Amino acid sequence: MASELKRTRMSAQERREQLLDVSRRLFAAKGFEGTSVEEIAAQSGVSKPIVYEHFGGKEGMYAVVVDRETRALTDALSGALAKGGHPKLLVERTALALLGYIEENEDGFRILVRDSPVAQATGTFSSLIGDVATQVEHMLADQFRRRRLDAEAAPIYAQMLVGMVALTGQYWLDARELDKSVVAAHLVNLAWFGLSELRRDPHIASAGASPA
């Protein structure tokens, strides 16, 4: 019995990390509303007051989990963009960074893409992707100017490009038939050849007319 008690005794920091690990798994599986403090406490082998002592409640715990995942994904994506280089390589690195994060942090990504009342205050996946698009925007604007395209259109192209990668990542989260490198290659194939053939004056085909 003494050895059993010794094994379960943790420092405050160790207990905090254990609670975060358990809650992260539950939030990913059941969402914020479907997860209770009672369940977190039970699976952690502690009483409810211990959970409240560390986080003040479920909302506080969820906010910490979301903040950690947001920073991890932001660092991964920003790191891919910070290396610079050819635009095609930037698309490739960004796609691989997102897919790599999903592969290594499936529970974290499921939490980020869920909507919850707490996420409105801690930051949402869409706002994170918007921040990344802002970084991409400056790079695209430079390339547009070099190719004598309208640089003022760069923001919307950045949103479309990053949005395409993000939505594909959400699809790949559950459809894992293809390796991440294959998925990234297809993303680059569509994105790059679309970007490389951009027209200076795009337009919508008139009703009934054949697209050019």
Side-chain angles (χ1 to χ4, degrees), residues 40-57:
I40 294 171
Q43 293 202 17
S44 300
V46 300
S47 62
K48 285 173 56 178
I50 295 295
V51 177
Y52 289 115
E53 178 184 334
H54 281 276
F55 299 99

Side-chain angles (χ1 to χ4, degrees), residues 185-212:
H186 284 294
L187 276 167
V188 174
N189 190 35
L190 175 59
W192 174 246
F193 287 104
L195 287 171
S196 63
E197 297 296 329
L198 284 183
R199 296 186 175 186
R200 294 182 183 178
D201 184 27
H203 62 276
I204 300 297
S206 301
S210 299

Side-chain angles (χ1 to χ4, degrees), residues 47-126:
S47 62
K48 285 173 56 178
I50 295 295
V51 177
Y52 289 115
E53 178 184 334
H54 281 276
F55 299 99
K58 185 172 68 170
E59 292 80 3
M61 182 176 291
Y62 189 85
V64 173
V65 170
V66 170
D67 181 65
R68 284 189 174 189
E69 296 304 326
T70 299
R71 283 189 283 113
L73 181 52
T74 299
D75 289 346
L77 296 175
S78 296
L81 293 170
K83 296 178 181 179
H86 194 280
K88 185 178 180 182
L89 287 177
L90 292 176
V91 176
E92 181 178 302
R93 290 194 198 110
T94 302
L96 283 172
L98 176 64
L99 296 173
Y101 169 83
I102 294 172
E103 187 174 62
E104 296 172 9
N105 303 275
E106 183 174 317
D107 282 349
F109 190 72
R110 288 188 186 280
I111 291 169
L112 286 180
V113 297
R114 286 181 185 273
D115 291 326
S116 80
V118 179
Q120 303 308 312
T122 59
T124 63
F125 181 64
S126 60

